Amino acid sequence: MRRSTIAATALLALTAGAAAQESVAHPGQPHNWQINLQEALSPIEEQIHWFSNYTLAFIIPITILVAALLAWCIYRFRESRNPVPSRTSHNTLIEVIWTVAPVLVLLFLAIPSFQLLTAQYNPPREPELTVKATGYQWYWGYEYQPAQTDAANAAEAVSFESYPLSEEDRPGSGKEDKALYPRLLAVDNEMVVPVGTVIRLISTSADVIHSFALPSMGVKVDAVPGRINEYWFEPLKEGIFYGQCSELCGQSHYNMPIGLRVVSKEQFSRWLAAAGSDLEGANAQLTAEIKASGSVAVAGN
């Protein structure tokens, strides 16, 4: 028994170590044995992480307290110790405590919750780029809209569809590396945005309800037919990041990934200028620049 316990502990430690090493190599991706949220790669996701830990500071003590009270009641008031049940009808002090305490807990949770909700829909400055994401069964369409101060920019003409990358298309697209382009998450055309830029995301749908979700960026916004929903995010790190449709939308809902490629502002400007007339060539040029600079960083769903 002792040897089995030691072996199980060692196996768990090795597994956790491997998962931690994998997480360092590929930040932001889901990993085996992962229990935490994905790496925060935007200001909003950092706030979400903080609020998650803050909430756990209340949940864990409350759970322990309730479990302890249940155990004590089971032990103290079992039939063998209390053959004649108590006829106590109420206790004023206990009733005051279990009314006031939850109100205080909810108050401490509500204030930062409303602050986070407000931050999610109020960017810190005027967005520099607007991207419209339209959900289809079962892929995404992107349309770039320039800022008002840059109306003549080629972004006005950039629009494309992003389909799930099939295994047959990997060799031809140069996306054989499954660590960088994971199965069921990789796409043929990623949405390209510049790092350190406030981006307005407009979401809608052409058929049924979808949901545009990028966990590492703190993005989750519904795509509803005939309706426009708005959100914002600011990537803090260059790399390729993945998300998925998070609203059940039909047979191929499981295979409706979102690919986001975050690049430097200079790389984005060059890509944007070329993508309007030759998207495939612009993507190939961007990929070559990234490989040459060695700046590829992987992140995930």
Side-chain angles (χ1 to χ4, degrees):
M1 180 67 179
R2 183 178 178 184
R3 290 181 179 179
S4 300
T5 303
I6 294 175
T9 303
L11 178 61
L12 183 60
L14 288 174
T15 304
Q21 185 176 4
E22 183 183 8
S23 177
V24 172
H26 306 294
Q29 287 195 13
H31 303 287
N32 294 331
W33 302 95
Q34 183 176 7
I35 61 174
N36 295 322
L37 299 174
Q38 293 182 23
E39 182 181 6
L41 300 172
S42 74
I44 288 296
E45 184 62 15
E46 289 178 347
Q47 293 185 48
I48 291 174
H49 278 219
W50 177 88
F51 184 69
S52 175
N53 295 331
Y54 176 80
T55 304
L56 283 175
F58 291 90
I59 293 176
I60 293 174
I62 291 174
T63 302
I64 294 174
L65 174 63
V66 172
L69 289 174
L70 284 173
W72 182 75
C73 289
I74 292 171
Y75 171 78
R76 176 65 179 80
F77 299 106
R78 65 187 188 277
E79 184 180 4
S80 60
R81 290 181 60 93
N82 293 274
V84 180
S86 171
R87 295 184 177 275
T88 302
S89 61
H90 69 280
N91 184 299
T92 302
L93 178 60
I94 292 179
E95 291 180 4
V96 170
I97 292 174
W98 73 33
T99 300
V100 174
V103 169
L104 292 176
V105 170
L106 291 175
L107 183 63
F108 278 101
L109 291 176
I111 294 175
S113 175
F114 288 136
Q115 291 175 335
L116 174 58
L117 185 63
T118 301
Q120 287 178 308
Y121 292 95
N122 291 274
R125 57 187 182 277
E126 185 66 22
E128 302 170 49
L129 176 68
T130 298
V131 181
K132 181 181 179 181
T134 303
Y136 300 90
Q137 292 178 305
W138 289 271
Y139 61 97
W140 293 93
Y142 300 111
E143 179 182 345
Y144 285 69
Q145 302 174 8
Q148 294 180 355
T149 57
D150 195 21
N153 196 293
E156 189 173 7
V158 175
S159 62
F160 57 89
E161 283 74 43
S162 178
Y163 292 89
L165 181 68
S166 64
E167 294 302 305
E168 295 77 14
D169 292 337
R170 282 184 181 274
S173 62
K175 296 181 178 180
E176 297 93 338
D177 185 359
K178 290 189 177 182
L180 186 60
Y181 304 102
R183 176 178 173 271
L184 298 181
L185 288 177
V187 298
D188 58 353
N189 297 314
E190 293 89 6
M191 181 173 75
V192 181
V193 298
V195 70
T197 302
V198 175
I199 298 160
R200 177 190 289 115
L201 177 68
I202 296 177
S203 179
T204 188
S205 171
D207 37 52
V208 300
I209 298 177
H210 301 281
S211 186
F212 191 94
L214 281 165
S216 294
M217 295 291 162
V219 174
K220 187 178 185 299
V221 55
D222 286 344
V224 182
R227 181 173 179 176
I228 294 293
N229 288 326
E230 184 177 322
Y231 203 80
W232 73 273
F233 66 99
E234 181 182 0
L236 300 178
K237 184 176 182 180
E238 295 181 32
I240 301 178
F241 310 100
Y242 297 102
Q244 290 177 301
C245 174
S246 60
E247 182 74 32
L248 186 59
C249 58
Q251 178 182 1
S252 296
H253 164 70
Y254 76 96
N255 192 22
M256 191 174 169
I258 298 166
L260 175 71
R261 187 185 289 271
V262 182
V263 298
S264 68
K265 294 184 179 182
E266 294 76 17
Q267 290 173 332
F268 176 75
S269 296
R270 290 191 291 271
W271 174 87
L272 194 61
S277 57
D278 182 11
L279 177 65
E280 185 176 351
N283 286 339
Q285 178 184 355
L286 180 62
T287 302
E289 289 182 8
I290 294 173
K291 287 183 178 180
S293 63
S295 61
V296 174
V298 183
N301 170 27

